[in-house]
């Protein structure tokens, strides 16, 4: 092999082994990289016990109730539900039926005591008229 | 076309290969870059103005986020550029390492500051967007964290190159760092798919129609083109300065500066 070919082979080999190492590392870290767990994972006992963590899911329709400064709602992944209590300011995009990521601790009473509520919006961008049309179709399908 | 043979058409394959390698020499790349720069600046201005006009005046309000979503027209092009420039930079760095071509290392060095600027812009506009929409400036989710790592990779590349006096050795050390960092690019891109993140998934995908109104998409693509042209113009301007600096002892630079 010429020195140039040798160098190219070395670089290619180095990159391939690096990619493999990174893949294995990421695979091992998998659950630690996740920002939140879903209500189903909490129900399956995958949430850290006695420690603060984040749950992510949809704010269940018709469950948001305000009681003075405290907001009660239910977060769901459509399979499992978790009731949440939060005292503080909610982001503007926090809405029933929309995504949210909630940090806090699971109390003994099964209610998730939140310290922070973040809104998670989706990747769709459209004018209000188009959104209205989409909503109409969804309503028609639900009937 | 100009009187530089490489730009004339109708030449044989063998000859054209020789002409391509000609531009691997700093002496012939310097004037070529100089001739291209004004065109890229002009294109950057045209695409930038058209993109901004659509972004602010033509694209409709978003149903969920109202007017605040318009930061996407800077945020997404900057993020794309930050990732793409890194790939190009690593490509040149790797080429320089493998073939010992001089201009390659200079190209990598010239691209790094613009890449760092784009990564910073992406993080900064992202924070400004995150506060009103998500309710937080920053969260340690996979997308945000990997983009921050990209920013530090650029800074590390620049610092490492600056720390070594001999430019050829600086290029080699920088190239290895740049190539190792390439691993981070697919992580950024797929982070929203692989893990639970606060950052939403991709709006623009290769395998399905974009989930975005048509005019919004046009604004974003024009802005992205403008960012491309700007990045090329700035990188070429910078590479010319680097060529002059590194080749300052040669006769042709002395002539060129007279």
């Amino acid at each position: 092999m010429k020195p140039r070919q040798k160098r190219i082979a070395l670089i290619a080999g180095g990159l391939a082994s690096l990619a493999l190492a990174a893949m294995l590392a990421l695979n091992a870290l998998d659950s630690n990289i996740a920002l939140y767990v879903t209500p189903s994972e909490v129900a399956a006992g995958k949430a850290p016990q006695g420690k603060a963590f984040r749950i992510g899911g949809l704010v269940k329709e018709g469950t948001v109730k305000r009681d003075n400064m405290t907001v009660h709602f239910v977060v769901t992944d459509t399979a499992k539900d978790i009731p949440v209590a939060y005292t503080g300011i909610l982001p503007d995009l926090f809405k029933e039926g929309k995504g949210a990521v909630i940090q806090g601790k699971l109390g003994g009473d099964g209610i998730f005591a939140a310290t922070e509520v973040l809104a998670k919006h989706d990747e769709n961008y459209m004018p209000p008229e188009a959104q209205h049309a989409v909503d109409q179709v969804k309503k028609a399908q639900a009937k | 076309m100009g009187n530089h043979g490489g730009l004339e058409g109708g030449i044989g394959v063998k000859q054209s290969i020789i002409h391509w390698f000609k531009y691997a020499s700093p002496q012939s790349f310097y004037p070529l870059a100089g001739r291209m720069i004004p065109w890229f600046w002009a294109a950057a201005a045209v695409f930038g103005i058209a993109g901004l006009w659509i972004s602010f005046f033509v694209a409709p309000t978003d149903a969920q986020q109202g007017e605040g979503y318009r930061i996407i027209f800077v945020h997404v092009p900057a993020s794309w550029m930050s990732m793409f420039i890194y790939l190009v930079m690593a490509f040149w760095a790797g080429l320089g390492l493998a073939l010992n071509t001089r201009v390659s290392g200079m190209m990598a060095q010239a691209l790094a500051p613009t890449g760092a600027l784009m990564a910073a812009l992406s993080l900064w506009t992202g924070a400004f967007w995150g506060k009103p929409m998500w309710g937080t400036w920053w969260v340690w989710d996979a997308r945000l964290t990997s983009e921050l790592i990209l920013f530090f990779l650029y800074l590390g590349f620049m610092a490492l190159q600056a720390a070594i006096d001999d430019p050829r050795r600086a290029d080699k050390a920088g190239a290895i760092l740049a190539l190792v960092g390439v691993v981070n690019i697919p992580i950024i891109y797929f982070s929203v798919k692989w893990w639970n993140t606060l950052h939403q998934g991709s709006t623009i995908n290769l395998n399905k129609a974009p989930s975005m109104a048509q005019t919004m998409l046009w604004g974003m693509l024009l802005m992205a083109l403008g960012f491309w042209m700007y990045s090329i113009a700035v990188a070429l301007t910078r590479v010319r300065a680097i060529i002059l600096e590194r080749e300052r002892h040669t006769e042709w630079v002395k002539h060129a500066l007279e």
Side-chain angles (χ1 to χ4, degrees):
Chain A
M1 269 205 280
K2 280 192 269 175
R4 174 184 290 176
Q5 288 168 324
K6 211 172 172 179
R7 275 202 306 274
I8 294 173
L10 265 175
I11 294 170
L15 281 182
S17 51
L18 190 77
L20 190 72
M23 236 174 66
L24 291 174
L26 289 176
N27 219 1
L29 283 171
D30 195 18
S31 58
N32 291 315
I33 295 176
L35 185 73
Y36 56 83
V37 294
T38 61
S40 291
E41 285 168 335
V42 175
K46 283 187 188 152
Q49 298 293 317
K51 258 194 345 190
F53 62 97
R54 292 193 186 91
I55 45 177
L58 298 172
V59 180
K60 199 171 184 175
E61 302 266 7
T63 61
V64 177
K65 287 187 183 66
R66 283 165 213 273
D67 166 23
N68 283 331
M69 286 302 290
T70 304
V71 187
H72 293 272
F73 60 92
V74 171
V75 61
T76 178
D77 58 2
T78 66
K80 298 277 186 217
D81 294 354
I82 292 181
V84 179
Y86 173 66
T87 308
I89 298 164
L90 291 165
D92 287 352
L93 287 187
F94 179 88
K95 268 192 197 91
E96 292 185 353
K98 297 284 179 191
V101 174
I102 305 125
Q103 182 163 24
K105 267 185 190 169
L106 199 54
D109 50 1
I111 295 176
F112 193 78
T115 53
E116 186 183 39
V117 174
L118 303 176
K120 180 171 161 68
H121 62 80
D122 60 30
E123 69 276 22
N124 303 312
Y125 301 91
M126 58 183 102
E129 307 86 70
Q131 179 74 61
H132 184 71
V134 169
D135 291 344
Q136 292 296 322
V137 170
K138 270 191 190 154
K139 256 186 211 162
Q141 278 171 346
K143 271 174 194 168
Chain B
M1 288 271 151
N3 52 9
H4 262 265
L7 293 175
E8 277 163 15
I11 38 175
V13 173
K14 198 174 174 195
Q15 220 180 344
S16 74
I17 287 172
I18 296 165
H19 279 288
W20 272 112
F21 273 105
K22 186 180 143 199
Y23 289 111
S25 109
Q27 184 177 356
S28 42
F29 187 66
Y30 182 84
L32 175 72
R35 281 201 305 277
M36 292 193 297
I37 289 168
W39 294 101
F40 284 113
W41 275 123
V46 170
F47 287 127
I49 290 168
L52 280 175
W53 187 69
I54 291 186
S55 311
F56 278 108
F57 302 115
V58 181
T61 311
D62 180 59
Q64 275 188 81
Q65 303 187 27
E67 302 297 341
Y69 92 98
R70 288 183 200 274
I71 204 161
I72 200 174
F73 296 116
V74 176
H75 179 73
V76 171
S79 311
W80 280 344
M81 271 333 277
S82 72
M83 289 191 282
F84 188 71
I85 289 178
Y86 194 92
L87 290 181
V88 177
M89 182 181 95
F91 166 79
W92 284 118
L95 202 68
L97 200 61
L99 304 181
N100 257 331
T101 43
R102 279 183 297 167
V103 177
S104 309
M106 301 186 199
M107 279 304 288
Q109 193 190 343
L111 283 164
T114 303
L117 171 75
M118 292 297 164
L121 205 56
S122 159
L123 292 166
W124 189 44
T125 53
F128 271 39
W129 197 2
K131 186 61 185 169
M133 298 307 162
W134 297 340
T136 182
W137 301 102
W138 180 262
V139 62
W140 291 100
D141 89 346
R143 173 56 71 82
L144 278 64
T145 309
S146 54
E147 179 73 21
L148 184 66
I149 291 172
L150 179 71
F151 178 60
F152 286 134
L153 276 171
Y154 278 122
L155 295 190
F157 176 86
M158 284 153 63
L160 184 62
Q161 275 221 327
I164 301 172
D165 286 331
D166 175 11
R168 304 299 290 268
R169 287 189 55 219
D171 278 350
K172 276 189 186 148
I176 292 170
L177 176 66
L179 286 173
V180 169
V182 168
V183 149
N184 191 39
I185 300 296
I187 295 179
I188 300 177
Y189 189 78
F190 291 110
S191 54
V192 291
K193 223 179 198 166
W194 290 344
W195 300 293
N196 293 337
T197 54
L198 183 62
H199 197 289
Q200 71 283 5
S202 316
T203 299
I204 314 291
N205 287 294
L206 293 177
N207 51 4
K208 70 175 174 73
S211 43
M212 185 177 219
Q214 203 75 39
T215 37
M216 296 177 179
L217 186 66
W218 273 109
M220 206 162 86
L221 293 181
L222 282 171
M223 286 298 283
L225 270 174
F227 272 59
W228 268 66
M229 297 301 134
Y230 162 83
S231 301
I232 296 172
V234 169
L236 287 178
T237 308
R238 201 176 285 122
V239 84
R240 267 163 66 92
I242 294 168
I243 289 174
L244 287 187
E245 198 186 342
R246 288 201 192 176
E247 304 277 305
R248 62 184 176 277
H249 306 298
T250 61
E251 279 302 312
W252 77 266
V253 169
K254 282 173 195 153
H255 279 294
L257 293 183
E258 259 164 20

